[in-house]
Amino acid sequence: MSSTSQKHKDFVAEPMGEKTVMALAGIGEVLGKRLEEKGFDKAYVVLGQFLVLKKDEELFREWLKDTCGANTKQQGDCYSCLREWCDSFL
Amino acid sequence: MSSLSGKSDEEISQLLDEYGIKHGPILESTRNLYKKKLSEAMTKKAKPSSSNKTYYREEQEEVEYITYQPPQLSIYDGSGDVTRRSKVTGADFAHDIRRSKLTDYRDEDIGYNNEPIISPARSSYQSSSRPGPSVSTSMQRGQSSPETSKSGGVPGWLRVLVFLIIAVFLYYVYTCMEPAEEIPLKSIQ
Protein backbone atom coordinates (compact mmCIF):
# COMPACT_ATOMS: atom_id res chain seq x y z
CA MET A 1 0.00 0.00 0.00
CA SER A 2 1.65 3.22 -1.16
CA SER A 3 0.94 6.29 0.83
CA THR A 4 -0.54 9.29 -0.95
CA SER A 5 1.28 12.58 -1.25
CA GLN A 6 0.13 15.91 0.08
CA LYS A 7 -0.63 16.97 -3.48
CA HIS A 8 -2.94 14.00 -3.83
CA LYS A 9 -4.74 14.78 -0.61
CA ASP A 10 -5.20 18.40 -1.58
CA PHE A 11 -6.60 17.53 -4.98
CA VAL A 12 -9.14 14.94 -3.82
CA ALA A 13 -10.34 17.08 -0.96
CA GLU A 14 -12.43 19.47 -3.06
CA PRO A 15 -13.87 19.95 -6.57
CA MET A 16 -11.11 20.74 -9.02
CA GLY A 17 -12.80 23.73 -10.54
CA GLU A 18 -10.29 25.64 -12.69
CA LYS A 19 -7.15 24.12 -11.25
CA THR A 20 -4.26 23.76 -13.66
CA VAL A 21 -3.04 20.43 -14.86
CA MET A 22 -0.04 20.73 -12.59
CA ALA A 23 -2.31 20.41 -9.57
CA LEU A 24 -2.71 16.74 -10.42
CA ALA A 25 -0.63 14.30 -8.42
CA GLY A 26 2.29 12.97 -10.45
CA ILE A 27 2.23 15.92 -12.88
CA GLY A 28 5.01 18.36 -12.26
CA GLU A 29 6.22 21.33 -14.25
CA VAL A 30 7.80 19.39 -17.08
CA LEU A 31 4.92 17.02 -17.65
CA GLY A 32 2.44 19.80 -17.14
CA LYS A 33 4.05 21.86 -19.86
CA ARG A 34 3.92 18.94 -22.28
CA LEU A 35 0.27 18.39 -21.56
CA GLU A 36 -0.53 22.04 -22.06
CA GLU A 37 1.16 21.98 -25.41
CA LYS A 38 -1.08 19.12 -26.42
CA GLY A 39 -4.13 21.08 -25.41
CA PHE A 40 -4.67 19.72 -21.96
CA ASP A 41 -4.26 22.98 -20.11
CA LYS A 42 -6.69 22.40 -17.26
CA ALA A 43 -7.13 19.51 -14.86
CA TYR A 44 -10.70 19.00 -15.99
CA VAL A 45 -9.55 18.36 -19.56
CA VAL A 46 -7.35 15.55 -18.31
CA LEU A 47 -10.35 14.43 -16.30
CA GLY A 48 -12.34 14.40 -19.52
CA GLN A 49 -9.75 12.17 -21.16
CA PHE A 50 -9.77 9.93 -18.11
CA LEU A 51 -13.53 9.54 -18.39
CA VAL A 52 -13.46 9.00 -22.15
CA LEU A 53 -11.06 6.13 -21.53
CA LYS A 54 -13.73 4.70 -19.28
CA LYS A 55 -11.59 5.20 -16.20
CA ASP A 56 -9.54 2.20 -17.32
CA GLU A 57 -6.17 2.16 -15.61
CA GLU A 58 -4.18 0.51 -18.35
CA LEU A 59 -5.55 2.75 -21.09
CA PHE A 60 -5.07 5.92 -19.08
CA ARG A 61 -1.53 5.01 -18.08
CA GLU A 62 -0.63 4.28 -21.66
CA TRP A 63 -2.21 7.48 -22.87
CA LEU A 64 -0.38 9.54 -20.28
CA LYS A 65 2.91 7.94 -21.18
CA ASP A 66 2.36 8.59 -24.88
CA THR A 67 1.18 12.14 -24.39
CA CYS A 68 3.67 13.57 -21.92
CA GLY A 69 6.20 10.79 -21.27
CA ALA A 70 5.21 10.07 -17.67
CA ASN A 71 7.01 7.19 -15.97
CA THR A 72 5.33 4.37 -14.12
CA LYS A 73 5.17 6.13 -10.79
CA GLN A 74 3.84 9.35 -12.25
CA GLN A 75 1.24 7.43 -14.21
CA GLY A 76 0.10 5.64 -11.09
CA ASP A 77 -0.07 8.79 -8.99
CA CYS A 78 -2.15 10.63 -11.58
CA TYR A 79 -4.47 7.69 -12.11
CA SER A 80 -5.16 7.12 -8.43
CA CYS A 81 -5.62 10.85 -7.88
CA LEU A 82 -8.25 11.13 -10.59
CA ARG A 83 -9.95 7.88 -9.61
CA GLU A 84 -10.32 8.96 -6.03
CA TRP A 85 -11.60 12.33 -7.06
CA CYS A 86 -14.22 10.66 -9.22
CA ASP A 87 -15.25 8.42 -6.36
CA SER A 88 -15.94 11.46 -4.24
CA PHE A 89 -17.38 13.98 -6.64
CA LEU A 90 -18.49 12.35 -9.84
CA MET B 1 -1.22 -5.69 -43.45
CA SER B 2 -3.61 -2.80 -44.04
CA SER B 3 -2.60 0.52 -42.57
CA LEU B 4 -4.54 1.61 -39.60
CA SER B 5 -4.51 5.28 -40.51
CA GLY B 6 -6.94 4.66 -43.35
CA LYS B 7 -9.53 3.07 -41.12
CA SER B 8 -12.57 4.91 -39.98
CA ASP B 9 -13.57 5.17 -36.36
CA GLU B 10 -16.05 2.34 -36.68
CA GLU B 11 -13.49 0.04 -38.27
CA ILE B 12 -11.03 0.77 -35.52
CA SER B 13 -13.71 0.05 -32.95
CA GLN B 14 -14.51 -3.25 -34.64
CA LEU B 15 -10.87 -4.25 -34.77
CA LEU B 16 -10.47 -3.46 -31.08
CA ASP B 17 -13.42 -5.70 -30.30
CA GLU B 18 -11.98 -8.49 -32.42
CA TYR B 19 -8.77 -8.43 -30.47
CA GLY B 20 -10.66 -8.20 -27.22
CA ILE B 21 -9.25 -4.80 -26.30
CA LYS B 22 -11.41 -2.86 -23.92
CA HIS B 23 -11.86 0.65 -25.27
CA GLY B 24 -13.94 3.80 -25.12
CA PRO B 25 -15.15 6.04 -27.95
CA ILE B 26 -12.78 6.74 -30.79
CA LEU B 27 -12.11 10.45 -30.59
CA GLU B 28 -9.35 12.71 -31.74
CA SER B 29 -7.58 12.36 -28.45
CA THR B 30 -7.95 8.58 -28.30
CA ARG B 31 -7.48 7.53 -31.91
CA ASN B 32 -3.71 7.44 -31.79
CA LEU B 33 -3.76 5.45 -28.60
CA TYR B 34 -6.08 2.81 -30.05
CA LYS B 35 -4.13 2.61 -33.27
CA LYS B 36 -1.02 1.95 -31.27
CA LYS B 37 -2.76 -0.76 -29.29
CA LEU B 38 -4.07 -2.37 -32.43
CA SER B 39 -0.67 -2.44 -34.07
CA GLU B 40 0.76 -4.07 -30.94
CA ALA B 41 -2.01 -6.65 -30.94
CA MET B 42 -1.54 -7.37 -34.62
CA THR B 43 2.14 -8.11 -34.20
CA LYS B 44 1.42 -10.46 -31.31
CA LYS B 45 -1.42 -12.38 -32.93
CA ALA B 46 -1.73 -13.14 -36.62
CA LYS B 47 -5.49 -13.20 -36.50
CA PRO B 48 -7.86 -13.01 -33.58
CA SER B 49 -9.94 -15.95 -34.81
CA SER B 50 -7.07 -18.38 -35.19
CA SER B 51 -6.43 -18.51 -31.48
CA ASN B 52 -9.90 -19.86 -30.84
CA LYS B 53 -9.28 -22.85 -33.00
CA THR B 54 -6.45 -24.07 -30.85
CA TYR B 55 -8.71 -24.17 -27.85
CA TYR B 56 -11.15 -26.27 -29.77
CA ARG B 57 -8.48 -28.75 -30.68
CA GLU B 58 -7.50 -29.23 -27.07
CA GLU B 59 -11.06 -30.05 -26.16
CA GLN B 60 -11.10 -32.92 -28.59
CA GLU B 61 -8.32 -34.75 -26.86
CA GLU B 62 -10.50 -36.31 -24.28
CA VAL B 63 -9.71 -39.90 -23.60
CA GLU B 64 -12.27 -42.10 -22.03
CA TYR B 65 -11.00 -44.78 -19.77
CA ILE B 66 -14.30 -46.60 -19.45
CA THR B 67 -13.87 -50.25 -20.28
CA TYR B 68 -16.55 -52.84 -20.25
CA GLN B 69 -15.85 -56.28 -18.97
CA PRO B 70 -17.69 -59.35 -20.22
CA PRO B 71 -20.71 -59.75 -18.01
CA GLN B 72 -19.99 -63.28 -16.93
CA LEU B 73 -16.69 -62.82 -15.23
CA SER B 74 -17.23 -59.48 -13.59
CA ILE B 75 -20.75 -60.06 -12.46
CA TYR B 76 -19.79 -63.32 -10.88
CA ASP B 77 -16.92 -61.78 -9.03
CA GLY B 78 -19.10 -59.05 -7.71
CA SER B 79 -21.87 -61.06 -6.12
CA GLY B 80 -22.51 -59.88 -2.61
CA ASP B 81 -21.33 -62.03 0.26
CA VAL B 82 -19.90 -61.17 3.60
CA THR B 83 -17.28 -63.88 3.57
CA ARG B 84 -16.25 -63.16 0.06
CA ARG B 85 -15.25 -59.65 0.85
CA SER B 86 -12.23 -60.75 2.73
CA LYS B 87 -11.15 -62.91 -0.15
CA VAL B 88 -11.56 -60.26 -2.76
CA THR B 89 -8.04 -59.67 -3.91
CA GLY B 90 -6.57 -57.27 -6.41
CA ALA B 91 -7.77 -59.32 -9.37
CA ASP B 92 -11.36 -59.01 -8.32
CA PHE B 93 -10.92 -55.43 -7.36
CA ALA B 94 -9.77 -54.61 -10.87
CA HIS B 95 -12.97 -56.03 -12.25
CA ASP B 96 -15.00 -54.00 -9.83
CA ILE B 97 -13.38 -50.78 -10.83
CA ARG B 98 -14.26 -51.23 -14.44
CA ARG B 99 -17.85 -51.88 -13.67
CA SER B 100 -18.25 -48.69 -11.71
CA LYS B 101 -21.96 -48.59 -12.34
CA LEU B 102 -22.53 -51.73 -10.33
CA THR B 103 -20.60 -50.81 -7.23
CA ASP B 104 -23.65 -51.49 -5.14
CA TYR B 105 -22.96 -55.16 -5.03
CA ARG B 106 -19.91 -54.61 -2.93
CA ASP B 107 -21.92 -53.15 -0.13
CA GLU B 108 -24.69 -55.65 0.14
CA ASP B 109 -24.71 -58.09 2.99
CA ILE B 110 -27.66 -60.29 2.37
CA GLY B 111 -29.50 -58.74 -0.53
CA TYR B 112 -28.74 -60.51 -3.73
CA ASN B 113 -31.12 -58.36 -5.66
CA ASN B 114 -28.54 -56.53 -7.71
CA GLU B 115 -27.13 -59.45 -9.59
CA PRO B 116 -29.45 -62.36 -9.18
CA ILE B 117 -29.11 -63.36 -12.76
CA ILE B 118 -25.81 -65.13 -13.05
CA SER B 119 -23.65 -64.91 -9.99
CA PRO B 120 -25.79 -66.73 -7.43
CA ALA B 121 -26.33 -69.44 -10.04
CA ARG B 122 -22.67 -70.23 -9.85
CA SER B 123 -22.65 -70.31 -6.11
CA SER B 124 -25.89 -72.20 -5.91
CA TYR B 125 -24.41 -75.18 -7.72
CA GLN B 126 -22.05 -75.76 -4.83
CA SER B 127 -24.05 -74.48 -1.88
CA SER B 128 -26.55 -77.19 -1.10
CA SER B 129 -27.33 -77.03 2.62
CA ARG B 130 -25.40 -74.25 4.30
CA PRO B 131 -24.52 -71.12 2.37
CA GLY B 132 -21.73 -70.08 4.73
CA PRO B 133 -18.87 -72.52 4.31
CA SER B 134 -19.72 -73.37 0.75
CA VAL B 135 -19.28 -69.80 -0.39
CA SER B 136 -15.55 -69.94 -0.12
CA THR B 137 -15.41 -72.94 -2.34
CA SER B 138 -17.99 -71.55 -4.69
CA MET B 139 -15.77 -68.62 -5.54
CA GLN B 140 -12.95 -70.90 -6.53
CA ARG B 141 -15.13 -73.17 -8.56
CA GLY B 142 -17.09 -70.29 -9.92
CA GLN B 143 -14.13 -68.89 -11.76
CA SER B 144 -13.98 -71.99 -13.87
CA SER B 145 -17.68 -72.37 -14.32
CA PRO B 146 -18.19 -69.28 -16.43
CA GLU B 147 -15.81 -70.73 -18.93
CA THR B 148 -17.99 -73.79 -19.35
CA SER B 149 -21.23 -71.87 -19.40
CA LYS B 150 -22.82 -70.43 -22.48
CA SER B 151 -21.01 -67.59 -24.11
CA GLY B 152 -24.25 -65.89 -25.06
CA GLY B 153 -27.02 -64.66 -22.78
CA VAL B 154 -28.51 -66.26 -19.69
CA PRO B 155 -31.31 -68.74 -20.40
CA GLY B 156 -34.67 -67.85 -18.95
CA TRP B 157 -35.19 -71.08 -17.06
CA LEU B 158 -31.93 -70.55 -15.30
CA ARG B 159 -33.06 -67.18 -14.05
CA VAL B 160 -36.27 -68.67 -12.65
CA LEU B 161 -34.32 -71.44 -10.99
CA VAL B 162 -31.93 -68.98 -9.42
CA PHE B 163 -34.78 -66.87 -8.13
CA LEU B 164 -36.41 -69.85 -6.50
CA ILE B 165 -33.19 -70.91 -4.87
CA ILE B 166 -32.66 -67.46 -3.47
CA ALA B 167 -36.21 -67.36 -2.15
CA VAL B 168 -35.78 -70.70 -0.46
CA PHE B 169 -32.52 -69.61 1.02
CA LEU B 170 -33.96 -66.41 2.42
CA TYR B 171 -36.88 -68.27 3.93
CA TYR B 172 -34.50 -70.67 5.55
CA VAL B 173 -32.47 -67.84 7.03
CA TYR B 174 -35.60 -66.15 8.28
CA THR B 175 -36.83 -69.27 10.00
CA CYS B 176 -33.47 -69.72 11.66
CA MET B 177 -33.56 -66.21 13.00
CA GLU B 178 -36.99 -66.37 14.59
CA PRO B 179 -36.00 -67.87 17.95
CA ALA B 180 -33.22 -65.30 18.26
CA GLU B 181 -35.68 -62.47 17.87
CA GLU B 182 -37.90 -63.65 20.67
CA ILE B 183 -35.22 -63.49 23.29
CA PRO B 184 -34.76 -59.74 23.33
CA LEU B 185 -38.51 -59.31 23.53
CA LYS B 186 -38.65 -61.45 26.60
CA SER B 187 -35.84 -59.61 28.27
CA ILE B 188 -37.72 -56.34 28.00
CA GLN B 189 -40.66 -57.75 29.90
Side-chain angles (χ1 to χ4, degrees):
Chain A
M1 291 291 290
S2 60
S3 60
T4 54
S5 64
Q6 188 62 41
K7 211 171 167 187
H8 173 103
K9 291 175 189 171
D10 292 340
F11 190 84
V12 301
E14 58 183 0
M16 61 177 76
E18 296 295 320
K19 287 183 184 175
T20 66
V21 73
M22 277 168 260
L24 286 164
I27 307 297
E29 277 201 31
V30 176
L31 296 183
K33 262 269 188 313
R34 291 179 190 167
L35 284 170
E36 284 174 3
E37 287 168 4
K38 294 280 179 71
F40 298 89
D41 54 345
K42 293 285 185 183
Y44 63 74
V45 185
V46 179
L47 171 72
Q49 184 69 13
F50 177 71
L51 298 175
V52 151
L53 292 172
K54 293 189 164 184
K55 299 193 247 178
D56 181 70
E57 179 170 4
E58 190 187 332
L59 287 175
F60 182 73
R61 277 174 174 263
E62 203 166 335
W63 172 83
L64 200 60
K65 188 180 85 171
D66 293 342
T67 308
C68 62
N71 61 26
T72 308
K73 185 185 183 303
Q74 290 162 336
Q75 297 164 21
D77 289 345
C78 188
Y79 167 76
S80 57
C81 173
L82 281 172
R83 193 192 60 203
E84 201 170 318
W85 188 93
C86 287
D87 292 342
S88 302
F89 299 103
L90 197 60
Chain B
M1 298 287 287
S2 58
S3 65
L4 289 170
S5 58
K7 303 270 184 200
S8 67
D9 293 345
E10 289 175 0
E11 287 169 345
I12 292 177
S13 178
Q14 282 176 7
L15 282 170
L16 286 167
D17 290 336
E18 277 181 21
Y19 284 97
I21 298 173
K22 182 185 164 189
H23 65 94
I26 315 295
L27 307 173
E28 272 187 30
S29 55
T30 59
R31 188 174 293 120
N32 288 335
L33 175 68
Y34 293 139
K35 279 184 191 172
K36 183 184 139 197
K37 282 191 102 61
L38 272 176
S39 61
E40 285 176 5
M42 282 180 180
T43 53
K44 282 182 184 177
K45 301 180 189 178
K47 246 190 178 182
S49 58
S50 64
S51 60
N52 296 333
K53 287 182 184 176
T54 59
Y55 297 142
Y56 184 73
R57 275 186 215 151
E58 289 175 2
E59 290 177 0
Q60 289 178 353
E61 291 177 0
E62 286 183 5
V63 181
E64 293 184 357
Y65 290 97
I66 298 173
T67 59
Y68 183 75
Q69 284 292 312
Q72 297 173 353
L73 275 173
S74 60
I75 289 176
Y76 173 74
D77 292 331
S79 71
D81 252 330
V82 181
T83 58
R84 294 183 76 197
R85 268 196 210 170
S86 59
K87 290 203 174 188
V88 173
T89 57
D92 294 333
F93 189 72
H95 293 299
D96 296 338
I97 287 176
R98 290 167 192 170
R99 291 292 297 266
S100 61
K101 291 181 181 179
L102 300 171
T103 53
D104 294 338
Y105 54 70
R106 290 187 65 82
D107 296 329
E108 60 185 20
D109 285 326
I110 299 176
Y112 291 82
N113 297 329
N114 282 347
E115 301 292 336
I117 298 173
I118 296 178
S119 54
R122 303 284 177 266
S123 62
S124 66
Y125 291 153
Q126 291 77 19
S127 63
S128 57
S129 60
R130 294 279 301 178
S134 65
V135 169
S136 59
T137 58
S138 68
M139 191 186 72
Q140 295 172 1
R141 292 186 191 180
Q143 289 177 354
S144 60
S145 58
E147 298 171 2
T148 60
S149 65
K150 295 180 183 179
S151 60
V154 178
W157 63 267
L158 187 60
R159 296 182 185 182
V160 173
L161 176 66
V162 164
F163 177 73
L164 287 174
I165 289 167
I166 293 167
V168 166
F169 168 72
L170 287 174
Y171 179 74
Y172 175 76
V173 170
Y174 175 72
T175 51
C176 287
M177 287 180 65
E178 270 191 9
E181 290 174 355
E182 291 177 356
I183 293 175
L185 289 175
K186 287 182 182 175
S187 67
I188 291 172
Q189 295 176 355

